[in-house]
Amino acid sequence: MGQHIRRHGWLIAGATAVAATLTLAGTYAAHAERTPERNDAAVEHTESGWRQPESRMPTMSATARPAEAVPERFATLPPGATLPSGAQCATWVRARPAAENRQMNLIANSTTGHHVGPDIYDDSRSDSRIAPRVDGAFTGSTRDILRWAACKWGIDEDVVFAQAAQESWWKQTVLGDYSTDPARCAPGHGIGADDRSGECPESFGILQDRHPYQKSAWPGVLRSTAMNADLAYSIWRGCYEGWEGWLNSEERGEPYAKGDLWGCVGRWLSGRWHTPESEDYIGLVKDLMAQRVWDTPEFKQP
């Protein structure tokens, strides 16, 4: 069984938080039992979307599907759904590009990522179906990058917008989860290197991916906004598919089960399933989503 370590840090209290003072919670890498299973039954495409029986494995497509009408927005796809490729999502997002409002992200937004290894996902299904899809292969505005990640991993884009606001106020430059243990420092970010005497950051970027548990994603998650978001929601998708059975072996508020969008959002903070800490975090993300904070004049300021 892999290690399961909680993430701790400060949370954004609301939409008016000052981005410059954020010290934010980071990420928690997936560690689960290896229990491979396979089912190659075909997916059906209906007028309402892609449909696949609950028992079937998701198809993680490596190539774009035939041209389709550009979606108005990206919604959550159920467990087992066929996910669009990164290339298809890039085409859809670039058909309706958004302006940039985070000038500090410009370099990272124009930088693509790289592939990752199996160290991030301690489950054979994630290793074979999810890890190969992670590449951060997109450039664009910050909003476009978040939409691309939402599309690629089949999660509602408003959830992504709100969670990225909670984690970093959409700033790829944010560092978080400071540690005093030199062994947990990322390359180039040793003790004291980031103006925190005796400490180093463990978490980086727009979704606060956490280096000690995602070493093969380094340095992409630091240098590339798309890579940071791509990795974060690949982990969310593994949770949503029901591939993190280890959550039932830890402190939990209810039994872990697939298809729980908000449970997997809360697990990102705490590494636990519907615990009070997770529920507090879920509440903060939901509040930002209800406000549509990313559309407010204050948030749109550079």
Side-chain angles (χ1 to χ4, degrees):
M1 182 180 295
Q3 291 180 310
H4 314 304
I5 300 177
R6 292 178 185 273
R7 207 193 67 183
H8 296 283
W10 295 99
L11 301 178
I12 299 174
T16 59
V18 180
T21 63
L22 298 178
T23 303
L24 298 168
T27 190
Y28 170 80
H31 296 279
E33 297 83 7
R34 296 182 177 271
T35 54
E37 57 189 57
R38 180 181 297 275
N39 190 313
D40 295 322
V43 177
E44 297 176 2
H45 187 211
T46 69
E47 291 183 358
S48 60
W50 294 92
R51 180 168 63 85
Q52 184 171 17
E54 288 285 309
S55 62
R56 298 177 185 173
M57 294 285 286
T59 302
M60 305 297 183
S61 173
T63 59
R65 293 200 300 266
E68 300 178 37
V70 177
E72 290 289 335
R73 64 184 306 279
F74 301 115
T76 301
L77 300 180
T82 297
L83 302 179
S85 71
Q88 178 65 82
C89 291
T91 298
W92 283 335
V93 170
R94 286 175 176 146
R96 292 189 174 94
E100 183 60 77
N101 71 321
R102 291 290 184 267
Q103 298 301 311
M104 75 289 294
N105 292 350
L106 286 177
I107 294 176
N109 286 0
S110 63
T111 303
T112 56
H114 54 77
H115 288 290
V116 299
D119 60 302
I120 295 170
Y121 316 94
D122 194 10
D123 181 278
S124 61
R125 294 161 293 186
S126 292
D127 289 345
S128 63
R129 298 297 185 98
I130 289 180
R133 299 185 87 231
V134 177
D135 54 16
F138 183 78
T139 60
S141 71
T142 303
R143 185 174 182 133
D144 289 348
I145 287 169
L146 294 175
R147 292 193 75 226
W148 173 78
C151 171
K152 183 175 179 179
W153 295 107
I155 179 171
D156 190 298
E157 63 183 61
D158 288 353
V159 175
V160 173
F161 292 160
Q163 190 172 15
Q166 176 64 30
E167 290 291 341
S168 68
W169 219 237
W170 287 23
K171 293 188 176 184
Q172 175 64 13
T173 53
V174 167
L175 311 178
D177 286 313
Y178 281 80
S179 171
T180 59
D181 182 356
R184 302 179 69 83
C185 300
H189 294 267
I191 297 294
D194 293 286
D195 300 322
R196 290 276 291 261
S197 179
E199 297 180 312
C200 69
E202 291 188 11
S203 300
F204 299 84
I206 195 164
L207 267 301
Q208 291 290 277
D209 289 307
R210 195 164 186 174
H211 174 262
Y213 311 112
Q214 303 168 340
K215 291 183 178 179
S216 69
W218 190 266
V221 293
L222 173 70
R223 296 177 179 173
S224 167
T225 311
M227 175 78 177
N228 198 280
D230 198 9
L231 180 68
Y233 288 103
S234 76
I235 294 171
W236 175 90
R237 174 51 69 169
C239 172
Y240 191 64
E241 290 293 335
W243 297 346
E244 295 193 328
W246 57 265
L247 285 165
N248 275 327
S249 300
E250 305 291 341
E251 176 191 3
R252 60 194 182 281
E254 60 186 66
Y256 167 67
K258 69 179 180 180
D260 185 339
L261 185 157
W262 288 109
C264 292
V265 168
R267 159 257 186 271
W268 183 252
L269 172 81
S270 65
R272 300 294 183 267
W273 192 249
H274 285 291
T275 58
E277 186 179 19
S278 301
E279 295 298 323
D280 287 345
Y281 179 78
I282 291 168
L284 291 169
V285 175
K286 284 184 174 181
D287 284 347
L288 292 173
M289 189 168 72
Q291 298 170 36
R292 297 188 64 83
V293 67
W294 55 90
D295 286 334
T296 62
E298 294 83 4
F299 191 89
K300 288 182 177 180
Q301 294 301 311

